[in-house]
Amino acid sequence: MAQYGFYVDTSKCTGCKTCQVSCKDDNDLPIGVNWRRVYEYGGGDWVKHEDGTYTNDVFTYYMSISCNHCATPACTKACPTGAMHKREQDGLVVVNGDVCVGCRYCEMACPYGAPQYNHEKKHMTKCDGCFDRVEQGKKPICIESCPLRALDFGPIDELRAKYGDRADVAPLPNPSLTNPSLIIGTCRNSRLTGDETGKIQNPTEVGL
Amino acid sequence: MSQLSLVFFTVLAQSAVGLFISLGLVQLLARPNEKAMTRAFMAVLVMLGLGAISSVTHLGQPFRMFNVMFGLEHFSALSLEIVGLSLFGGAAGAYVGMRMFNILPKLQNLVLLGGMAAGILFILLIAQVYTLKTVPTWNSGWTSFQFLMTAFVVGPIAAIALLRAQAKELGDHVVKLSTNGLAVTNMIALAISMTGYVGYLFWLGQVSVFGNPFEHLGYGQLLGMLRTGLMMFAVMALSISTLRGGKSPVCGIVSLVAVLAAEIAGRMFFYDIYMSASAGM
């Protein structure tokens, strides 16, 4: 089975959120539903010295995450209807909106916040990897709209050959849980999964 | 709180199982009057029915609810939970029907025992839904423990309340014998539940997750205290009253309401403590 996936270069991302907005626009998503979210992860502190000067060790970086179309998705395993399924032809995880009952169990199970409940449609929705665009030989809208060229998409084997195989960067969970088709390019501030020195700085914006 | 309907579903469904088992033991051990017991058993179906309706209100598309059977193909925990619900509901319904129309009297005890076992299985299947490796704050045996204890704490109280309310038909001797047994069982259940709760909260403080779960909750402490206080009150008040020969149905109903409120507070805490394996994505 082919498996498509994403590459996110956190050393290039400036947190402009064009990817998030272009996705929202292209898929006509209502308020509160964001198939792609840019998490601002940061931490650190200021220390006052004896001579009255200050130094700081604050850090931050941006993590643009949609759905990682995991090799062993928690959402499809949880789904009681089979509406949440993995496509044979490209490994993309999509929801069949005509079957979904809207129980939101996939939302509980996914550690990446990918499945999102649409209050207007009353069923789950999520990033579908823009499979319609991919079938036409284009890349997903988020990739093509990124002004920093920080995102990439393609067969995960090819991406891994090009960018490596790292997805254990905070605030992401341990990749062994769901085997995400995701590669993270690190930056000088990167903290590894399990880090406790930082936290997500824009919780309201990403829908927490 | 978007899971409020699930709070009611899980508490009522588990309480229904507890009530069925409590009444089942009374039926098997004390052999009481037929009609009054049949009415008491019907309360199980009412409780379970209310729980089931509550769970359906959680769905975005309630008219597609039968789609949840498709997930059996890949053993979705939620589909299996519904199978558990159907097995228990089916057995309990069949048992009440057999009693009402006096069908195959010799087989009734077998159906009763089957229903009790299906009830336990159902609770374990509910717990399985929440035992997700991507949710560290739920992923432990404490989830099954809490769900089972809801049945064992609420069940006997509901049974005592029902037996007291029908004391005239059942006869004083049977009511005294059964409610005394249920009261002692209930106090033991309270001791286990409360000791376990301390263990659970201790475990929760140690669990490997991105922040302290207790800091994550605004009113969690209040819910915990509410649960403990109401549950102690409900069990102690009714047990002591029963063992001292009390017969007032009102006391039974007050205790039942208090213990249900305690379990609802505890379950709200449980859903609020949801923390995924990521750093809060």
Side-chain angles (χ1 to χ4, degrees):
Chain A
M1 187 177 80
Q3 175 68 61
Y4 280 82
F6 286 109
Y7 169 66
V8 180
D9 189 344
T10 60
S11 71
K12 285 184 182 165
C13 179
T14 59
C16 73
K17 303 179 179 76
T18 306
C19 52
Q20 187 175 319
V21 174
S22 65
C23 169
K24 201 171 175 97
D25 182 41
D26 196 46
N27 294 295
D28 206 11
L29 305 180
I31 293 167
V33 178
N34 295 306
W35 289 357
R36 184 170 277 282
R37 302 154 307 284
V38 179
Y39 296 88
E40 300 180 5
Y41 191 77
D45 210 348
W46 288 81
V47 175
K48 187 181 182 183
H49 300 289
E50 293 80 357
D51 60 359
T53 59
Y54 286 85
T55 51
N56 79 70
D57 61 349
V58 295
F59 71 94
T60 190
Y61 56 91
Y62 303 95
M63 183 71 80
S64 172
I65 295 293
S66 55
C67 166
N68 305 315
H69 304 285
C70 302
T72 50
C75 59
T76 56
K77 186 165 176 268
C79 180
T81 64
M84 185 69 82
H85 65 287
K86 204 165 165 59
R87 282 158 52 100
E88 272 295 321
Q89 61 269 48
D90 47 24
L92 296 175
V93 177
V94 300
V95 193
N96 181 345
D98 296 330
V99 176
C100 174
V101 291
C103 71
R104 307 180 71 161
Y105 186 36
C106 52
E107 189 185 17
M108 277 183 189
C110 172
Y112 295 95
Q116 305 228 341
Y117 185 72
N118 187 319
H119 284 276
E120 289 166 10
K121 295 182 173 172
K122 299 197 178 301
H123 61 71
M124 297 310 294
T125 60
K126 67 182 282 302
C127 160
D128 56 7
C130 288
F131 64 79
D132 48 342
R133 291 174 60 88
V134 174
E135 279 164 6
Q136 295 165 26
K138 297 183 195 163
K139 296 217 169 184
I141 196 91
C142 52
I143 310 295
E144 295 199 348
S145 68
C146 177
L148 281 305
R149 299 287 178 262
L151 300 175
D152 201 358
F153 177 88
I156 195 71
D157 296 340
E158 291 175 23
L159 294 182
R160 285 192 174 131
K162 204 167 162 188
Y163 302 114
D165 187 11
R166 182 128 244 172
D168 57 343
V169 179
L172 304 176
N174 188 331
S176 69
L177 288 169
T178 61
N179 299 306
S181 304
L182 172 74
I183 302 153
I184 300 295
T186 50
C187 61
R188 68 191 174 108
N189 282 329
S190 292
R191 298 290 194 274
L192 295 183
T193 291
D195 170 64
E196 289 185 359
T197 61
K199 62 175 186 183
I200 291 171
Q201 303 289 334
N202 60 339
T204 312
E205 192 180 16
V206 294
L208 296 175
Chain B
M1 188 180 187
S2 70
Q3 292 108 340
L4 204 56
S5 45
L6 296 179
V7 169
F8 282 99
F9 163 63
T10 54
V11 169
L12 287 173
Q14 289 152 16
S15 301
V17 172
L19 177 59
F20 188 76
I21 292 175
S22 301
L23 291 173
L25 290 175
V26 170
Q27 171 67 32
L28 293 171
L29 301 174
R31 311 203 165 277
N33 169 292
E34 289 291 311
K35 268 195 173 165
M37 276 308 275
T38 305
R39 274 201 294 273
F41 272 108
M42 277 181 195
V44 173
L45 298 180
V46 173
M47 222 176 203
L48 189 67
L50 287 174
I53 290 167
S54 178
S55 80
V56 172
T57 65
H58 177 69
L59 300 181
Q61 302 279 354
F63 293 111
R64 295 183 190 166
M65 64 182 172
F66 294 108
N67 285 4
V68 297
M69 287 297 129
F70 299 152
L72 285 176
E73 198 188 329
H74 60 272
F75 299 105
S76 160
L78 210 137
S79 301
L80 290 170
E81 176 194 50
I82 306 303
V83 171
L85 169 68
S86 314
L87 282 177
F88 172 65
Y95 180 66
V96 172
M98 285 165 92
R99 288 185 70 107
M100 277 172 73
F101 304 108
N102 203 25
I103 305 163
L104 304 169
K106 284 181 184 165
L107 267 181
Q108 284 181 10
N109 280 351
L110 199 66
V111 177
L112 177 62
L113 285 169
M116 287 156 84
I120 298 285
L121 177 71
F122 173 36
I123 295 181
L124 294 175
L125 288 171
I126 302 177
Q128 206 54 40
V129 170
Y130 298 97
T131 314
L132 293 164
K133 64 178 180 174
T134 49
V135 186
T137 46
W138 288 350
N139 191 22
S140 82
W142 289 117
T143 300
S144 313
F145 172 80
Q146 293 189 73
F147 288 7
L148 284 169
M149 288 322 291
T150 298
F152 293 122
V153 172
V154 181
I157 293 184
I160 293 174
L162 284 167
L163 293 175
R164 278 191 181 193
Q166 305 189 86
K168 268 191 194 154
E169 283 177 65
L170 286 163
D172 274 351
H173 176 67
V174 171
V175 172
K176 192 167 189 310
L177 186 74
S178 346
T179 54
N180 278 358
L182 288 168
V184 172
T185 314
N186 203 206
M187 286 203 280
I188 296 170
L190 173 75
I192 298 172
S193 176
M194 281 292 124
T195 313
Y197 196 48
V198 175
Y200 162 69
L201 292 178
F202 186 77
W203 169 81
L204 203 54
Q206 311 286 317
V207 73
S208 174
V209 68
F210 72 95
N212 181 347
F214 295 107
E215 278 177 17
H216 181 75
L217 293 167
Y219 49 93
Q221 219 173 354
L222 187 70
L223 286 176
M225 279 162 62
L226 199 66
R227 174 176 193 248
T228 311
L230 281 172
M231 191 191 284
M232 300 265 255
F233 162 76
V235 177
M236 296 310 284
L238 191 60
S239 298
I240 292 170
S241 141
T242 302
L243 294 176
R244 297 176 89 189
K247 287 171 195 154
S248 152
V250 178
C251 176
I253 290 163
V254 169
S255 289
L256 178 60
V257 171
V259 80
L260 280 174
E263 283 307 281
I264 285 166
R267 201 51 52 81
M268 284 169 79
F269 178 91
F270 174 83
Y271 281 99
D272 275 346
I273 211 80
Y274 168 90
M275 283 170 94
S276 100
S278 64
M281 295 173 76

